[in-house]
Amino acid sequence: MKTEELPEFLNRYYQNIQSSNVIRQAEKPAILLLGPQGLGKSTAVHDGARLITNELKLEFINLKISHSSSGWRLQNGESSIPINEILENPDKYFVLVDLRLTAHEPTDISGYPKEKDGIMFYEPFLWASILSRSRGILFIDELTNETRPDKISVAYQLVLDKIAGFTAFSKGVLVVAAGNRPEHSASANLLPTPLINRFLLLDVTQPSLSAWYKYMEGNYSGMWDKRSYVFLMAFQSENYIMRIPTETESLEQYPTHRSWTMLSLSMHSGLRDEEVILGLIGKETGTKFKAFIDTRVDLDELLSHPEKFKELSLDSKYMTIMLLAAKISKIYSSGKKMKEKLKAPDSLFVEMSEESKEFPVLILKIMDPQAQIKYTTHLGRVYPKTISEINVAAHNVRLELKK
């Protein structure tokens, strides 16, 4: 299953097993996601939790605790709520608890023994108390990295019985775990077969490039450097977006969706040093990308002589995409004499579309959203045949242009 398909699958799975009157709580299979690191498995689980929250018309809580003058509070996005609020009104919330077994002792899961009225019992931690009352997802990340038998025993209880110590989770809690196979990580271990048999096991594969673009736009619109996307589109056949090394142990960096995200954000903030590029996506891919962003193109010369576009190298052609998109966006942001100013960009745009419809599709895709809408409308009036062909091309490569 591709990473981008996970959120919707988690939503459907949750709704189906919760509506079932046949499956008992202990028999509702937990989910184990297996795949290479850097695919975005954790992000997909978070997105799935939000989808479920919206479907149930609840308020989403990603369990993080902070302290203020008014006491301990739960972080809720930019705001926070008192801890007692969710304990007293659990039906209003859907809670995501992100738990890494490798970072906790067994008592962090089961709770600490405490005496009351001559009876010893386990005092549960806050996260377990919340999940005993509210609906939510318990996400056990890096499960395959755990080697201690006592922690694996704790995992059995969480997965099989939906219990932390002696605190049972509510019927509205889904357990999801994630990990790597040994061929993808030196720290990954095989799990006991009885534990594996308690899971719905899903092999997760890398998301498509268009899915990564959609994620970046959805989370960082206007705040990331789109040259990374243009580069990855230019060399799709090389699969530079993700190159997992064959060795499971190394001190050499390599590209993943996660590292491209970090690089795109770093470059937008001004960190474009070669050391930053190589340090995030590795020497092989980083050297190629650095050469790409250092490519110099005389856009004014191409605007005056668009026929020269066909003489450019591949790197220069894709860099022209970046420059022309920025040029057209700037014309629309100025709001003056646009018809006159668009004549030269129009000629180059059409010239590029005659060589490959992928070029104009990418130009429109990386434009400022408002400029994209206006320019697409403009092309529809001036070059109706061209824009019709571009829309077909956009559909073929699954690039949705804004309406």
Side-chain angles (χ1 to χ4, degrees), residues 22-303:
V22 178
I23 307 176
R24 294 182 299 173
Q25 171 71 351
E27 294 173 338
K28 295 175 181 177
I31 295 175
L32 175 59
L33 309 174
L34 291 176
Q37 57 272 44
L39 288 182
K41 297 187 291 294
S42 300
T43 300
V45 172
H46 284 236
D47 291 345
R50 288 187 178 277
L51 270 181
I52 296 169
T53 303
N54 294 337
E55 187 91 5
L56 298 175
K57 296 180 172 56
L58 300 175
E59 189 171 343
F60 177 72
I61 296 288
N62 184 3
L63 192 66
K64 295 178 181 177
I65 304 173
S66 63
H67 190 268
S68 67
S69 57
S70 60
W72 290 101
R73 302 174 69 87
L74 290 174
Q75 288 298 123
N76 188 18
E78 297 298 320
S79 61
S80 63
I81 61 173
I83 288 177
N84 284 341
E85 160 63 20
I86 191 170
L87 292 174
E88 294 170 2
N89 301 285
D91 292 339
K92 292 170 55 178
Y93 302 97
F94 189 89
V95 183
L96 173 65
V97 176
D98 193 333
L99 185 72
R100 285 170 170 77
L101 287 182
T102 51
H104 295 278
E105 289 298 313
T107 48
D108 296 339
I109 310 299
S110 61
Y112 281 92
K114 184 177 180 180
E115 187 271 337
K116 185 176 182 181
D117 298 329
I119 299 174
M120 295 296 296
F121 65 99
Y122 282 102
E123 182 92 17
F125 279 86
L126 176 64
W127 66 268
S129 292
I130 289 175
L131 289 184
S132 72
R133 293 169 167 85
S134 69
R135 285 169 281 189
I137 288 179
L138 171 61
F139 180 43
I140 309 171
D141 205 359
E142 300 177 357
L143 176 62
T144 55
N145 289 0
E146 188 50 68
T147 57
R148 285 173 48 177
D150 54 345
K151 291 190 181 182
I152 295 296
S153 297
V154 168
Y156 269 102
Q157 194 181 45
L158 295 174
V159 172
L160 174 59
D161 301 319
K162 314 297 188 297
I163 291 176
F166 289 94
T167 304
F169 303 149
S170 78
K171 295 180 179 180
V173 171
L174 171 66
V175 178
V176 180
N180 315 119
R181 292 186 180 276
E183 60 265 31
H184 295 139
S185 173
S187 57
N189 303 282
L190 299 177
L191 296 175
T193 50
L195 179 57
I196 283 287
N197 196 235
R198 302 297 183 181
F199 283 108
L200 165 61
L201 197 154
L202 297 176
D203 280 303
V204 183
T205 58
Q206 72 177 67
S208 63
L209 183 52
S210 60
W212 179 73
Y213 177 89
K214 185 176 181 181
Y215 167 79
M216 294 299 292
E217 279 294 278
N219 290 275
Y220 308 107
S221 182
M223 297 184 292
W224 64 289
D225 195 317
K226 294 183 180 179
R227 285 180 293 180
S228 55
Y229 174 65
V230 173
F231 170 80
L232 293 169
M233 284 294 296
F235 300 99
Q236 280 192 85
S237 60
E238 301 291 338
N239 198 34
Y240 283 129
I241 191 162
M242 188 159 193
R243 290 191 161 191
I244 302 296
T246 54
E247 304 84 3
T248 56
E249 292 184 300
S250 174
L251 289 176
E252 297 297 325
Q253 189 56 280
Y254 58 95
T256 64
H257 297 74
R258 179 168 54 208
S259 58
W260 277 110
T261 296
M262 292 188 290
L263 178 58
S264 301
L265 297 174
S266 298
M267 289 179 61
H268 182 267
S269 67
L271 289 173
R272 304 183 183 95
D273 311 66
E274 183 175 8
E275 292 79 6
V276 173
I277 295 173
L278 301 187
L280 285 173
I281 58 175
K283 292 179 181 178
E284 181 184 354
T285 303
T287 300
K288 179 69 177 177
F289 180 62
K290 182 66 167 60
F292 173 77
I293 64 174
D294 286 344
T295 302
R296 295 291 175 261
V297 174
D298 189 341
L299 184 63
D300 291 333
E301 176 70 10
L302 289 173
L303 290 172

Side-chain angles (χ1 to χ4, degrees), residues 208 210 229 233 236 356-358 361 387-401:
S208 63
S210 60
Y229 174 65
M233 284 294 296
Q236 280 192 85
S356 171
K357 293 299 181 290
E358 182 185 272
V361 168
I387 195 62
S388 176
E389 293 172 344
I390 290 171
N391 281 327
V392 172
H395 176 74
N396 289 340
V397 294
R398 298 181 181 178
L399 297 179
E400 296 178 4
L401 301 179

